[in-house]
Amino acid sequence: MIRKVIQGGGVLFLSMLVVNVLNYGYAVVLGRVFGPSEYGAYASFISLFLLVALLPLTLQQAGARYAAINESVAAYTTRLAWIAGGGFGLVLVAGSFWLSPLLNLPAGWLVWLGVLVPFYAWLGVLRGEAQGLQNFRGFGLNMVLEHAIKILLTPLALLVLPGATGAVAATLAALPATIWHLKRYQSTLQVTLARQQEVLQYSAPVFTNLGAQAVIINSDILMVNALLPRQEAGIYAAVAMIGRVVFYSSWAIGTALFPMVSARQNAGASPRLLLWVALGTVGLISGGITLVCAVAPEWVLGLLYGDAYLPGAPLVGPYALLTTLYALASAISNHYLALGEHAAGYLPLLGAAAQLVLIGLFHDTLSEVVWSQMAAKGGLLVLSLLSVVWFERRRQRSG
């Protein structure tokens, strides 16, 4: 079992390493070419893009859970993708001129994103099937493909569209080819009404958990872009981009473990060891990156983004630490969601709400924004560790 975790997690970790190299290399080049002000606008759009991603990620996680036990629900989740994605996209398109000044982003960017939301949701369905069937090679390759195509399209887009607008267009244009790569996972198997209701019941806490995760990871960049000058927002975006390496580097472990936890429970075996494997591995990976950021923040930020971003160096170590705290809390909630413990999906809401409130109250300086998040994410980790005791005791009583 542990060997399978290591192999599956290793493939995904390698894929995520390639994705991070491509994604962060891309961000670094844009940061140097655009400068803090223009780069801050692009980073804010990407944060919005990742908030929208909670819909495809919900469908992916729901689909993976059932594919892991050889009960595909892709035909049903595809229908959900088009209905929910279409509704979500319509809101973005119709509300673009109202949201534009609120988010300090061009309305055209919001319209483009709204049009592609249904396709993005469908991509989540296909990735869920690949993940649940533990085809980590194909799943990982698909994520690499998305970022590689974006990078290849960017020079062409910049010939036609100025600055960050070209980068936004290239980012969105990569989705169709990414969908084509996984289209073989589209299933036409009929899903019973009882199973459809079960999928909806399972998806609600997953959506809540991922929604809270999206807010926790991305709301700070959007709020800083809206509340502080563009120059400071760009510097903060560079610090946050480095900090995200911590979360996404360890994300591969949770993604690999999720279908294994479901399958192990379905086989009647205890999945508790997988939780400790997840926490230990996430702590090791995230802690190592955080240590580098804490010891040499000027070197890390200057090497990647250049001297224009060095005022943000004191924030690099603390930001990496707060992301480590959240990565550990996320590993706990995902473990119990895989076991069907719906309550685990609602706990991150407290962290998301605390973060929004604290940043809303304390945002005069970038340092205040970072330490507000430290308090929110540290509190969430404490609550998550306490929830382990509660979930395990309840499972022992019911078992």
Side-chain angles (χ1 to χ4, degrees):
M1 177 189 67
I2 295 179
R3 179 181 296 178
K4 192 173 184 181
V5 171
I6 294 173
Q7 289 175 343
V11 170
L12 278 180
F13 181 77
L14 181 60
S15 300
M16 285 306 301
L17 181 62
V18 175
V19 166
N20 281 330
V21 168
L22 293 175
N23 197 32
Y24 292 110
Y26 181 76
V28 165
V29 171
L30 292 185
R32 286 180 174 269
V33 171
F34 291 161
S37 182
E38 189 83 0
Y39 176 69
Y42 175 75
S44 296
F45 173 80
I46 292 302
S47 293
L48 178 63
F49 181 78
L50 294 174
L51 281 172
V52 170
L54 72 94
L55 176 58
L57 285 173
T58 298
L59 296 172
Q60 175 184 324
Q61 196 157 316
R65 183 173 190 267
Y66 290 97
I69 56 176
N70 296 315
E71 294 186 16
S72 174
V73 293
Y76 177 59
T77 51
T78 298
R79 192 158 75 248
L80 289 179
W82 289 107
I83 295 172
F88 205 164
L90 185 61
V91 169
L92 276 175
V93 172
S96 58
F97 291 99
W98 175 76
L99 289 170
S100 176
L102 180 66
L103 299 175
N104 199 17
L105 294 173
W109 296 5
L110 304 179
V111 172
W112 294 349
L113 179 58
V115 170
L116 284 172
V117 169
F119 297 93
Y120 197 18
W122 183 28
L123 176 60
V125 173
L126 301 177
R127 283 179 171 171
E129 291 296 298
Q131 179 189 351
L133 295 172
Q134 300 183 33
N135 179 12
F136 298 125
R137 184 175 300 175
F139 179 58
L141 178 60
N142 187 257
M143 293 187 294
V144 172
L145 189 64
E146 178 184 353
H147 294 280
I149 293 173
K150 171 184 69 178
I151 292 170
L152 292 174
L153 290 176
T154 298
L156 298 175
L158 290 175
L159 291 175
V160 181
L161 300 168
T165 301
V168 167
T171 298
L172 296 176
L175 290 177
T178 313
I179 292 171
W180 177 84
H181 173 249
L182 290 180
K183 65 178 183 178
R184 67 184 182 278
Y185 287 102
Q186 181 60 57
S187 173
T188 57
L189 293 175
Q190 293 299 311
V191 182
T192 65
L193 182 60
R195 181 65 82 195
Q196 291 179 23
Q197 293 173 342
E198 186 179 315
V199 170
L200 285 177
Q201 290 173 353
Y202 175 76
S203 296
V206 171
F207 184 84
T208 303
N209 178 58
L210 291 173
Q213 174 177 296
V215 169
I216 288 170
I217 294 176
N218 300 292
S219 64
D220 59 327
I221 294 181
L222 280 169
M223 293 180 75
V224 167
N225 187 62
L227 296 170
L228 293 173
R230 272 284 179 89
Q231 184 78 7
E232 289 188 57
I235 292 171
Y236 183 85
V239 172
M241 189 64 69
I242 294 171
R244 283 177 177 173
V245 173
V246 175
F247 179 78
Y248 288 111
S249 294
S250 59
W251 171 86
I253 302 302
T255 304
L257 284 170
F258 189 88
M260 296 180 191
V261 172
S262 296
R264 190 164 175 79
Q265 177 181 243
N266 192 60
S270 173
R272 188 182 304 169
L273 176 61
L274 293 176
L275 173 61
W276 306 122
V277 170
L279 290 175
T281 309
V282 168
L284 184 64
I285 295 172
S286 300
I289 299 172
T290 299
L291 181 62
V292 173
C293 290
V295 171
E298 293 88 355
W299 177 77
V300 171
L301 192 57
L303 177 67
L304 295 177
Y305 284 94
D307 293 345
Y309 295 84
L310 283 179
L315 306 177
V316 173
Y319 199 101
L321 176 58
L322 68 86
T323 310
T324 295
L325 299 180
Y326 177 64
L328 292 168
S330 179
I332 294 172
S333 63
N334 285 334
H335 176 83
Y336 287 105
L337 277 173
L339 296 176
E341 295 284 0
H342 294 175
Y346 298 107
L347 189 59
L349 276 178
L350 299 176
Q355 178 169 306
L356 291 174
V357 170
L358 288 172
I359 294 177
L361 293 174
F362 305 104
H363 58 260
D364 290 339
T365 66
L366 296 182
S367 181
E368 284 189 3
V369 174
V370 168
W371 288 102
S372 294
Q373 291 180 85
M374 189 77 76
K377 291 178 171 69
L380 177 60
L381 178 58
V382 171
L383 289 176
S384 299
L385 290 170
L386 292 174
S387 75
V388 172
V389 178
W390 185 78
F391 281 127
E392 290 301 321
R393 286 180 176 175
R394 191 172 78 161
R395 290 177 63 79
Q396 287 176 1
R397 288 196 298 268
S398 63

